[in-house]
Amino acid sequence: MENKSTILLEKTIQGHHLILRAPKPSDAVHVAEYWFGPASAHLLAFTDVTAFGTKEEVLAQTEKFFASISQQGPWSTLVMDVDGRPTGNVLINGLVPEEEALVHVHIWDPTLRRMGIASLLARDVFAYFLDAFKLKRLILQVQTENTPVIRLMESLGLQSEGTYFGKAAPICKEGNYKRFVIPRSQ
């Protein structure tokens, strides 16, 4: 049973119980498996996972980071549980205090992608990060080939600021990305 103080949100989607919560050290194994496991092939097309180090290093660093997170928040990483099973995370980085941060969504379990989890949580997650870190905006940079995420952003009423060639983050390979800005008013 989760500590209620670490749960940000509980919802039901298509008969599945969904919790958005603070990360805990045991979640690190899922992060390492996501980036280095057999289902990580989709990530290799646009990221250089070796920039993280080895799977063992990622596991140790992530466990340590998650163990250091305050139970009271604010949390720069949130974990999604579906039916009691950790299935993904949403995080911010590149934080410019009281200005902006980059936001990323990762569904660890490939069988749970494209079933509406991100759609259901997007507004709540964006509002949480904007409020908790007193940000004016969040930035989401999406590969132009990632049409499901682009359609999600557009369904939320967000329009791309355009397409650019470059890197969306230090671990990303160069490519074409669409940049979406999520302002505080969203």
Side-chain angles (χ1 to χ4, degrees):
M1 188 63 152
E2 291 298 322
N3 174 346
K4 290 291 182 189
S5 68
T6 63
I7 294 176
L8 177 65
L9 180 72
E10 283 190 73
K11 288 189 175 187
T12 300
I13 177 174
Q14 300 176 7
H16 297 283
H17 185 238
L18 181 70
I19 293 177
L20 191 61
R21 62 171 173 80
K24 46 191 176 183
S26 61
D27 294 321
V29 69
H30 303 291
V31 173
E33 189 65 21
Y34 174 74
W35 288 102
F36 293 93
S40 67
H42 72 288
L43 299 168
L44 301 178
F46 63 94
T47 58
D48 177 12
V49 296
T50 62
F52 288 140
T54 66
K55 182 177 182 178
E56 293 74 23
E57 290 169 329
V58 167
L59 178 60
Q61 291 166 358
T62 306
E63 281 177 338
K64 183 177 178 181
F65 173 66
F66 286 173
S68 73
I69 292 175
S70 166
Q71 293 286 311
Q72 290 74 40
W75 307 305
S76 62
T77 298
L78 299 169
V79 171
M80 297 171 280
D81 288 343
V82 175
D83 298 330
R85 202 175 78 212
T87 60
N89 68 325
V90 184
L91 65 124
I92 59 170
N93 65 2
L95 177 70
V96 178
E98 298 186 17
E99 287 296 324
E100 66 185 27
L102 299 174
V103 63
H104 311 272
V105 179
H106 302 284
I107 306 292
W108 302 328
D109 182 343
T111 65
L112 296 175
R113 293 185 190 129
R114 292 176 180 68
M115 66 177 272
I117 294 171
S119 298
L120 182 67
L121 294 177
R123 290 189 192 281
D124 293 317
V125 168
F126 296 159
Y128 171 77
F129 286 135
L130 289 163
D131 291 343
F133 293 91
K134 298 174 179 58
L135 300 173
K136 294 178 183 169
R137 66 195 149 272
L138 292 170
I139 309 297
L140 181 67
Q141 299 174 122
V142 184
Q143 294 173 280
T144 56
E145 297 85 23
N146 195 343
T147 53
V149 174
I150 292 168
R151 282 195 303 267
L152 168 63
M153 294 292 95
E154 291 170 348
S155 76
L156 295 173
L158 299 167
Q159 295 301 313
S160 166
E161 286 192 330
T163 302
Y164 71 94
F165 181 82
K167 291 181 159 195
I171 66 159
C172 291
K173 294 178 181 175
E174 286 188 332
N176 291 309
Y177 293 88
K178 286 191 175 281
R179 177 184 164 96
F180 291 89
V181 174
I182 301 113
R184 177 176 283 282
S185 62
Q186 288 290 17

